[in-house]
Amino acid sequence: MHEPPTRDAAAATALPNSLPRPAGELEALQRAWAPPKGWRLPSAVNNSHIGPLYLATALVFFVLAGILALLMRAQLALPGNTLVSEATYNQLFTMHGTVMMFLFAVPVVEAVAVWLLPNMIGARDLPFPRLSAYAYWAYAIGGLAFFCTIFFGASPDGGWFMYPPLTGKAHSPGIGADWWLLGIGFIEISAIAGAIELAIGILFTRAPGMTLMRMPVFAWAMLVASLMVLFAFPAIIAGTILLELERAFDWPFFIPARGGDPLLWQHLFWFFGHPEVYIIFLPAAGMVSMMTPVMARSSLVGYRAIVWALGAVGAISFLLWMHHMFTAGLGPLALHVTSAASFAVAIPSAVQVFAWLATMRQGRVRMLAPSFFLLGFHFIFVLGGLTGVMVAVSPFDWQVHDTYFIVAHLHYVLIGGMVFPLFAGLYYWAPVFNGHRMSERLGRWVFGLMFAGFNLAFFPMHIAGLLGMPRRVATYDAALGWTVWNAMSTAGAFVFAAGVALCLFDLVRTLLRGKRDHGDPWNADSLEWLPQGDYGARSIPQIASREPLWDRPTLAAEVEAGRHWLPRTVFGGRETLVTSPVRAELRHLLRLPGDGWLPFIAAAGTAGFFLLLTVSWFVSAAVCGAVSIAAMVAWLWGSDRPPPAPSAEVGEGVFLPTVAHGTASHSWWATVLLMLVDTSIFASLAFAHLHVSMALDVCPPPGASLPGGGLVASLGLMAGSLAMVFATRALGHANPFMLAGAVVFALCTSLGALAHDFALFRASVPHPATDAWSATLAALQGWQLLHVAVLFALGVYLFARIVSGHLRADARATLDNTALMWHLVTVQTLAAMGLVRFLPSWMS
């Protein structure tokens, strides 16, 4: 357990450092956080560098996807147009949707959070800076490689939702679908890595005194969205695994002739897809809650109501996945429950809208560029919400499903709900980057073009949809009466694009100007407007309210003078404070890694592994995978080291521990979140097996049989889990012989379980290509086999740290986190065995 600070932080004086600071402290802090220059820039890991790169890359993808949309609109401007072929049009709308949803919408909100969130909560950086760098580079390299497929005619063409059987091998024999499945699949891993980083950062690195109910609303929004990512994204990862296995090895998960079901993909995809809409919207709503009080010069109305509304939207969104399947032949109960949930989610969304309007009414809104975009957001998003309530009525949805009415609704929600707040944020937070505001005069032109162009482009689509125009058609006949509506939409799209281009021109022009102190140009209330360097604020402030800059006008000067917490680098490197999750009380000093190439190399290797698999360059893919694993091992090897001293002074007379383990460690909780992701993937695979089994007349199907054994491997893993418990206790009692013996025993049990599971996989499972039941069973067993192999690798790594002397009582995170994973694999193996063994008897 952690040791408490030697002086109670709650009882500390308002100024933790009341004396003037020594002259050399600031220079030492600047040296510790100095960024790499020139060709070494990709080795940077600090959020102040990764965040802007992340944001710029996401905006590049926004522009690229927008260009694809303009080509589509040009094709549809006139009936019978032949600007692009039908095959090319299919690739255009597939890539447009995929890039917007996977490479822009989710990454851009994570990018804003990586850049601004540490400053908002008073941290010097996020707790795993290398993980942020890895997530960014994997996304950037993989995303650009994926987009370039369109120049070679190798892009996917089955829609951004990739419904089988259209995307099965029979109907999509090329590699376009494989690019989507492998490329997007690993990019989602990047998003999950970012979500874990952000959630742990929000919970454990807030400034002292910043309790949960004093957090900025954007931090709340990102916390809810990050937790949603951990539960929603695993479903699409499981789905991409199954569909790629079907395409590569003919395992018939979605082929009805062999017991598969295309609806299984829809369940998995939309369990991810509908929460993703709110994963995109909630951070944007958090940005609105940050900007609205500042622009209205008034405190935010209904802070607690907004926080609860964010949580309610996140929870209800997981009940809405069948909202997209009203026409798929579901039963009446599913339709009624989903329809009711679709109505219910409008309530917490409306709570936020009314709170923002009340804040504007309570104050006096300054009509500046951010305010215009905030007002435009309200108008467009509310219209999108109203049409959302309309399509929640299942009989109406049956009429407009897969028409342009749905296209209009989707864009009113996503562009109104996320793009307009994002552009408001660009104008609002641009000074944080280099101290310069974007042009107010151009900002009004940008807003006018985007607002008018958007409504001209998408409102006529409601009418075209009600007139019967289906989605995803490359042309249409003039006699159908859709010409005028499509012409208006095309004109509006180009007007909207002109506004975006003008904004990006102004943004680039502003960011290229020389750097200066940003000050507080909006007279804002939150911590990102404190004086900042590469290290964040000079000292980490003690927080006593939700609006610290308004309630303590002298705070900026105090922080800059080093009068608050941690005004220096204690050990000569990068450091930040860890506080308790609820009350933000001081816990320990966290030493952060410096810049380095390992995250970049690991990301490049990961991208190369997945992308080269797509084109069947197996040897090259294996080399890339080996390079990625080697970089990760080297990265982890140097991360769990004993501190230079057991405690450190972070304020006058206040000493904190420099190490924590168990539940006091942020890395322990990060492992717990990783386990939630892993369990969600396992649950998705188990759902696939249950779904296929429930459709059978007889389970197992004729010719198939239940796998034998399984108990031996389960007992071995249970023994290994027990050995890991002994190992953690032995380390605590400084018993190296007991520690080494326990780890060796666990290593042997994992090796035995691995050999047993592999033999069982080869001998007992009917061939997975025989039928869908056998395929889902093989997928479950293969997943567990992979995990046992990972346990063996972890055991070898753990033993290497013991032999090298790196595993110590004050450097034990490797052991604690490995033990957690060992227990998880044991529980999953028992759950899988129970599901496979007892499901047939339960069904009979």
Side-chain angles (χ1 to χ4, degrees):
M1 297 295 291
H2 70 272
E3 298 176 7
T6 56
R7 180 163 69 98
D8 183 8
T13 62
L15 294 178
N17 290 288
S18 58
L19 299 176
R21 307 306 306 166
E25 281 189 352
L26 180 58
E27 289 77 7
L29 194 63
Q30 291 171 337
R31 284 195 302 272
W33 291 85
K37 304 290 186 181
W39 64 271
R40 296 187 298 114
L41 183 61
S43 66
V45 299
N46 188 6
N47 76 290
S48 62
H49 297 274
I50 293 297
L53 282 174
Y54 216 149
L55 182 58
T57 306
L59 290 174
V60 167
F61 283 122
F62 177 65
V63 171
L64 293 176
I67 292 172
L68 300 183
L70 292 179
L71 289 173
M72 294 160 56
R73 287 313 321 165
Q75 167 68 14
L76 294 173
L78 298 171
N81 203 346
T82 58
L83 177 66
V84 297
S85 66
E86 292 181 351
T88 301
Y89 188 85
N90 289 343
Q91 292 187 31
L92 289 176
F93 74 70
T94 300
M95 289 294 287
H96 168 74
T98 300
V99 173
M100 280 295 190
M101 297 301 289
F102 291 100
L103 299 179
F104 166 67
V106 173
V108 79
V109 295
E110 286 195 345
V112 172
V114 168
W115 178 34
L116 294 175
L117 196 57
N119 295 337
M120 285 185 181
I121 61 176
R124 296 217 186 278
D125 200 348
L126 292 168
F128 305 105
R130 289 177 176 176
L131 188 62
S132 293
Y134 170 82
Y136 165 70
W137 287 113
Y139 152 73
I141 297 171
L144 289 172
F146 172 75
F147 185 85
C148 287
T149 60
I150 198 166
F151 300 118
F152 304 97
S155 296
D157 58 3
W160 78 276
F161 37 77
M162 292 294 287
Y163 278 1
L166 178 62
T167 53
K169 202 70 173 178
H171 301 287
S172 297
I175 64 170
D178 300 300
W179 277 112
W180 193 99
L181 294 169
L182 292 172
I184 296 302
F186 99 84
I187 288 171
E188 297 312 308
I189 296 174
S190 167
I192 289 172
I196 293 175
E197 167 87 285
L198 291 170
I200 296 299
I202 293 166
L203 291 174
F204 289 95
T205 62
R206 303 194 307 277
M210 185 180 283
T211 63
L212 287 179
M213 283 300 162
R214 290 175 184 167
M215 280 202 314
V217 177
F218 182 69
W220 270 111
M222 285 309 306
L223 179 61
V224 174
S226 296
L227 295 177
M228 291 174 67
V229 166
L230 303 184
F231 287 100
F233 280 40
I236 190 61
I237 292 175
T240 57
I241 290 172
L242 297 183
L243 186 51
E244 185 58 31
L245 286 174
E246 178 179 296
R247 290 179 55 82
F249 303 111
D250 196 32
W251 294 12
F253 302 104
F254 311 108
I255 301 176
R258 283 183 276 165
D261 186 2
L263 288 184
L264 172 59
W265 170 267
Q266 294 191 35
H267 281 293
L268 293 174
F269 183 87
W270 290 117
F271 190 81
F272 143 81
H274 203 90
E276 187 194 23
V277 172
Y278 297 99
I279 290 169
I280 294 166
F281 164 68
L282 291 183
M287 288 189 271
V288 173
S289 293
M290 297 292 291
M291 291 181 281
T292 298
V294 176
M295 303 315 295
R297 292 176 288 187
S298 174
S299 296
L300 181 65
V301 172
Y303 173 93
R304 288 180 178 269
I306 288 177
V307 169
W308 283 105
L310 290 170
V313 169
I316 296 173
S317 70
F318 284 96
L319 302 176
L320 299 176
W321 84 91
M322 288 182 287
H323 174 91
H324 300 265
M325 301 170 64
F326 279 162
T327 61
L330 302 178
L333 178 61
L335 292 177
H336 295 157
V337 170
T338 305
S339 182
S342 300
F343 287 121
V345 77
I347 297 174
S349 300
V351 167
Q352 297 178 78
V353 171
F354 283 118
W356 297 324
L357 294 176
T359 303
M360 292 181 183
R361 177 64 180 85
Q362 176 177 270
R364 186 174 180 181
V365 178
R366 292 175 286 180
M367 295 310 296
L368 301 173
S371 301
F372 284 108
F373 281 95
L374 292 175
L375 293 173
F377 150 77
H378 281 86
F379 178 85
I380 296 171
F381 178 71
V382 169
L383 281 180
L386 292 174
T387 56
V389 172
M390 294 169 67
V391 297
V393 181
S394 53
F396 180 80
D397 184 86
W398 294 338
Q399 305 305 313
V400 299
H401 185 78
D402 269 348
T403 71
Y404 262 81
F405 188 94
I406 300 299
V407 176
H409 160 69
L410 175 68
H411 286 82
Y412 264 82
V413 170
L414 292 181
I415 294 182
M418 192 274 285
V419 174
F420 272 76
L422 174 66
F423 276 68
L426 292 178
Y427 281 91
Y428 180 78
W429 279 298
V432 173
F433 183 80
N434 66 354
H436 296 280
R437 287 171 56 175
M438 295 172 65
S439 168
E440 276 295 324
R441 182 173 61 86
L442 291 181
R444 294 170 185 252
W445 276 98
V446 168
F447 169 74
L449 290 170
M450 290 182 62
F451 184 79
F454 173 83
N455 286 285
L456 180 61
F458 291 101
F459 192 83
M461 291 185 188
H462 293 99
I463 302 172
L466 292 174
L467 292 175
M469 183 174 179
R471 305 168 68 178
R472 301 181 291 276
V473 292
T475 188
Y476 53 93
D477 190 272
L480 294 171
W482 304 336
T483 304
V484 64
W485 309 113
N486 278 286
M488 292 171 64
S489 291
T490 299
F494 279 89
V495 172
F496 181 82
V500 171
L502 183 59
C503 176
L504 295 181
F505 163 77
D506 188 24
L507 178 64
V508 172
R509 185 187 66 166
T510 302
L511 299 185
L512 290 178
R513 299 174 69 181
K515 196 165 188 177
R516 66 183 186 186
D517 292 338
H518 58 65
D520 187 2
W522 310 108
N523 189 25
D525 60 338
S526 49
L527 296 181
E528 73 271 23
W529 296 104
L530 289 172
Q532 305 283 344
D534 291 314
Y535 44 80
R538 164 70 195 280
S539 55
I540 297 176
Q542 177 73 34
I543 301 302
S545 70
R546 291 179 193 150
E547 300 163 338
L549 296 189
W550 285 353
D551 295 338
R552 191 176 183 123
T554 60
L555 183 61
E558 295 167 3
V559 166
E560 185 68 3
R563 299 299 179 87
H564 286 257
W565 301 107
L566 198 63
R568 63 191 179 99
T569 170
V570 179
F571 297 120
R574 299 180 179 184
E575 301 144 346
T576 193
L577 296 177
V578 171
T579 53
S580 59
V582 178
R583 300 183 60 83
E585 297 169 335
L586 288 169
R587 283 295 179 254
H588 66 271
L589 180 74
L590 174 62
R591 292 174 300 127
L592 298 170
D595 299 316
W597 287 97
L598 292 175
F600 178 83
I601 295 171
T606 304
F609 173 76
F610 282 96
L611 298 174
L612 292 173
L613 276 182
T614 306
V615 293
S616 302
W617 290 13
F618 300 117
V619 174
S620 300
V623 171
C624 286
V627 169
S628 179
I629 292 173
M632 290 180 185
V633 170
W635 155 8
L636 294 172
W637 188 262
S639 63
D640 187 16
R641 295 294 179 91
S647 63
E649 186 178 20
V650 299
E652 288 179 6
V654 179
F655 289 81
L656 292 182
T658 54
V659 67
H661 62 85
T663 57
S665 168
H666 66 292
S667 70
W668 191 91
W669 286 103
T671 305
V672 170
L673 296 186
L674 179 61
M675 291 164 57
L676 287 177
V677 174
D678 191 277
T679 302
S680 297
I681 298 176
F682 169 78
S684 299
L685 297 176
F687 169 78
H689 184 67
L690 179 64
H691 180 88
V692 170
S693 298
M694 295 290 287
L696 295 174
D697 295 325
V698 178
C699 185
S705 61
L706 292 173
L711 184 60
V712 174
S714 300
L715 291 175
L717 290 174
M718 292 172 67
S721 283
L722 187 60
M724 295 304 295
V725 173
F726 279 116
T728 56
R729 293 182 177 178
L731 185 60
H733 291 90
N735 189 332
F737 297 104
M738 182 178 175
L739 171 64
V743 171
V744 169
F745 177 79
L747 191 59
C748 293
T749 62
S750 68
L751 181 60
L754 180 62
H756 181 273
D757 281 353
F758 184 72
L760 189 67
F761 182 80
R762 296 196 63 183
S764 300
V765 177
H767 195 282
T770 304
D771 54 70
W773 185 87
S774 301
T776 56
L777 179 61
L780 269 176
Q781 290 191 311
W783 183 253
Q784 293 311 113
L785 182 63
L786 172 65
H787 280 63
V788 177
V790 169
L791 284 190
F792 178 73
L794 289 175
V796 171
Y797 177 79
L798 196 58
F799 185 73
R801 290 191 69 86
I802 294 174
V803 172
S804 64
H806 291 316
L807 189 61
R808 304 174 15 166
D810 56 356
R812 57 175 298 159
T814 302
L815 176 61
D816 292 337
N817 299 341
T818 300
L820 280 176
M821 291 301 298
W822 207 293
H823 303 328
L824 171 70
V825 175
T826 302
V827 171
Q828 279 193 8
T829 300
L830 293 171
M833 186 178 69
L835 175 67
V836 172
R837 300 293 299 179
F838 299 114
L839 178 63
S841 58
W842 174 74
M843 291 179 61
S844 61

